[in-house]
Amino acid sequence: MVYRHTISSTVHAFDDLRTVLAKASPPRSGDRLAGIAADSAEAMIAARMALADIPLRQFLHETVVPYEDDEVTRLIIDGHDAAAFAPVASLTVGGFRDWLLSDAATAETLRLLASAITPEMAAAVSKLMRNQDLILAARKCQVTTRFRNTIGLAGCMSTRLQPNHPFDDARAITASILDGLLLGAGDACIGINPASDDPAVIGSLLRLLDELIARLEIPTQGCVLTHVTTTLDLIGKGVPVDLVFQSVAGTEAANRSFGVDLALLKQAREAGLAQKRGTVGDNVMYFETGQGSALSANAHHGVDQQTLEARAYAVARAHGPLLVNSVVGFIGPEYLYDGKEIIRAGLEDHFCGKLMGLPLGVDICYTNHAEADQDDMDNLLTLLAAAGVTFIMGVPGADDVMLNYQSTSFHDALYVRDLLKLRRAPEFDDWLQRAGLADADFRIAGGAGRLPDFAARLLAGGSPMA
């Protein structure tokens, strides 16, 4: 179907839904690299005007990646919740935007609607929104998940403690974990990106996390971000696994480049559930995504990178995750060129994920060859916190010495908690108080004289709770 809009007597025609979505996207280097971006501001606005008039129902009849060629498309179409869709089924994309920003869109109505929103619908409406619209609408969406604590409650923001090391050195990783705990990080999870793919090394890191969490009685979960097949093998050998991790993308071909498909992810979730290691819930999966992953794998089918990112959220949604993380600026300036593009992408990803019912966190980050700096990340951090982001990263000094990129630090989380009065997962905050690391108002008790004692007990092998 051809979509048209006229500006100043010039008729702009778009051959199909895939094209109008691509041309309506805010500028970004990945779409320019793929040759699918609008070639002028006028063409971009014309595409948005055309997009605004498209009925939401059209996204159930016209796919951007062929149904017969792609299992992600089949997942989206076959799993659509028609009953939940009914309240908005008569709306156009533009009408949907207006409804999302109205008082009619409450936390409860959005929760009931989430299973009915396809990735393409979410991406489409986001393209009609200013940054403030993305913030306001996302803030209304409440998504709560549980494993050993409760993540995503209103007024809360969690952090993943990321203690990476270029040689997977256990002492250095333990020191980074201690640093993060002393500064109140780690309620989303303590998650290590291993430098090695050796199962023996991965197993030793999993045992390290298990021992630390058990010894300190921390109400959190550990994760080593290795390939899902490695995790499955280690589960089979009795290695303690809390969360099962995998990077995912928005097309079957892109997921194949990661060495996964939907059947394997289902198997991994079932294996994680069988461990029965959660204490307050059974959300056992952790997924990471990022705009540009399908393009970098030459598996984008001519679809814009933001729509494909939203399709990755459909993959995640099907597996009941505890955490989903958009690593927004990690792939590099070939896909998001500068701070402005990274900020916009981070707000889009967060909005689309939350609208689809996911516990969406954002790794607020950039590579050292991007046209961005830490001031840009401060801006994005503040905007996302205002939007109700589920979790962010806590990296020592905001500088990941293994992955060689810039992220957010333990102190960055403290800044935004203080600014917006944000709590951690309640179970984790209670633990910080019991350990003497937080005061009665859940602020880190840096002057209370308890921190050296906590550290000494940990390094001596005892429990700091004693």
Side-chain angles (χ1 to χ4, degrees):
M1 180 175 178
V2 177
Y3 302 92
R4 295 182 175 85
H5 187 79
T6 302
I7 296 180
S8 301
S9 74
T10 300
V11 178
H12 295 267
F14 309 98
D15 292 340
D16 49 30
L17 193 56
R18 177 183 63 184
T19 302
V20 74
L21 284 167
K23 304 300 183 187
S25 290
R28 66 203 56 203
S29 53
D31 292 340
R32 295 190 291 273
L33 179 64
I36 60 175
D39 56 11
S40 68
E42 180 177 297
M44 180 179 66
I45 296 302
R48 291 181 186 175
M49 297 297 289
L51 183 61
D53 291 335
I54 296 175
L56 290 179
R57 286 194 185 97
Q58 183 64 19
F59 293 89
L60 302 175
H61 304 297
E62 183 180 354
T63 61
V64 297
V65 181
Y67 178 93
E68 59 275 11
D69 296 339
D70 187 88
E71 67 172 359
V72 177
T73 300
R74 294 192 290 274
L75 172 72
I76 293 165
I77 298 300
D78 296 348
H80 184 252
D81 189 336
F85 184 60
V88 298
S90 63
L91 297 179
T92 63
V93 176
F96 187 39
R97 172 194 175 274
D98 294 344
W99 181 84
L100 286 169
L101 297 174
S102 75
D103 292 338
T106 64
E108 179 61 13
T109 57
L110 290 169
R111 183 186 68 80
L112 296 173
L113 184 65
S115 62
I117 302 303
T118 69
E120 291 82 359
M121 292 176 192
V125 73
S126 76
K127 296 176 193 296
L128 305 184
M129 290 178 155
R130 292 170 57 185
N131 286 3
Q132 65 177 250
D133 300 335
L134 296 171
I135 294 167
L136 180 61
R139 187 172 181 84
K140 298 181 183 186
C141 301
Q142 297 294 321
V143 182
T144 305
T145 56
R146 295 174 174 87
F147 188 76
R148 290 202 187 98
N149 57 29
T150 306
I151 294 171
L153 295 172
C156 293
M157 182 193 75
S158 295
T159 55
R160 170 188 155 195
L161 202 172
Q162 183 170 304
N164 299 342
H165 189 271
F167 306 113
D168 293 327
D169 182 84
R171 290 176 59 85
I173 288 170
T174 302
S176 291
I177 293 173
L178 173 61
D179 187 21
L181 292 174
L182 296 180
L183 292 169
D187 56 327
C189 72
I190 303 173
I192 304 170
N193 295 90
S196 172
D197 59 3
D198 183 344
V201 174
I202 307 302
S204 68
L205 294 175
L206 285 165
R207 293 185 184 94
L208 169 65
L209 292 178
D210 182 59
E211 179 186 352
L212 281 171
I213 290 170
R215 185 199 310 168
L216 303 185
E217 303 168 19
I218 311 172
T220 192
Q221 34 284 327
C223 185
V224 176
L225 283 69
T226 189
H227 194 271
V228 65
T229 54
T230 301
T231 303
L232 280 170
D233 180 61
L234 291 171
I235 287 175
K237 294 177 179 177
V239 176
V241 171
D242 290 343
L243 303 183
V244 179
F245 168 81
Q246 183 55 47
S247 294
V248 294
T251 69
E252 178 180 344
N255 283 322
R256 192 182 307 121
S257 76
F258 289 148
V260 299
D261 57 21
L262 297 181
L264 180 59
L265 295 178
K266 180 181 178 181
Q267 178 188 354
R269 179 170 183 257
E270 291 171 350
L273 289 171
Q275 304 312 297
K276 300 185 183 300
R277 293 175 61 83
T279 56
V280 299
D282 61 359
N283 298 114
V284 298
M285 301 299 289
Y286 176 11
F287 294 110
E288 284 193 347
T289 66
Q291 287 196 29
S293 59
L295 176 58
S296 67
N298 195 29
H300 60 99
H301 296 270
V303 181
D304 70 274
Q305 66 183 40
Q306 190 243 334
T307 298
L308 290 176
E309 172 71 4
R311 283 170 57 96
Y313 302 155
V315 175
R317 181 171 62 180
H319 298 89
L322 179 75
L323 307 167
V324 179
N325 178 30
S326 166
V327 193
V328 66
F330 181 74
I331 302 181
E334 300 84 0
Y335 307 95
L336 295 169
Y337 177 71
D338 57 14
K340 182 178 179 65
E341 291 188 6
I342 293 171
I343 289 169
R344 174 68 191 191
L347 295 175
E348 289 170 347
D349 293 352
H350 179 249
F351 162 77
C352 289
K354 282 291 193 66
L355 185 63
M356 293 174 62
L358 287 176
L360 213 292
V362 179
D363 189 346
I364 300 161
C365 64
Y366 63 101
T367 59
N368 288 307
H369 61 311
E371 291 294 323
D373 59 27
Q374 213 64 34
D375 286 337
D376 294 314
M377 300 306 103
D378 286 350
N379 293 342
L380 180 53
L381 168 62
T382 307
L383 295 174
L384 283 169
V389 68
T390 302
F391 69 102
I392 62 170
M393 302 297 108
V395 177
D399 182 5
D400 193 302
V401 296
M402 194 280 282
L403 292 173
N404 291 310
Y405 79 118
Q406 309 304 309
S407 185
T408 45
S409 72
F410 307 135
H411 292 87
D412 292 332
L414 294 178
Y415 143 72
V416 80
R417 289 190 195 287
D418 191 43
L419 178 71
L420 298 176
K421 309 307 177 190
L422 297 171
R423 293 275 303 275
R424 302 163 187 84
E427 300 91 342
F428 193 85
D429 257 348
D430 291 344
W431 175 81
L432 287 172
Q433 281 191 337
R434 294 196 309 274
L437 300 181
D439 63 20
D441 295 320
F442 301 100
R443 294 170 63 92
I444 294 302
R450 185 79 167 97
L451 302 188
D453 181 51
F454 180 96
R457 287 176 178 270
L458 172 60
L459 295 176
S463 172
M465 309 296 289

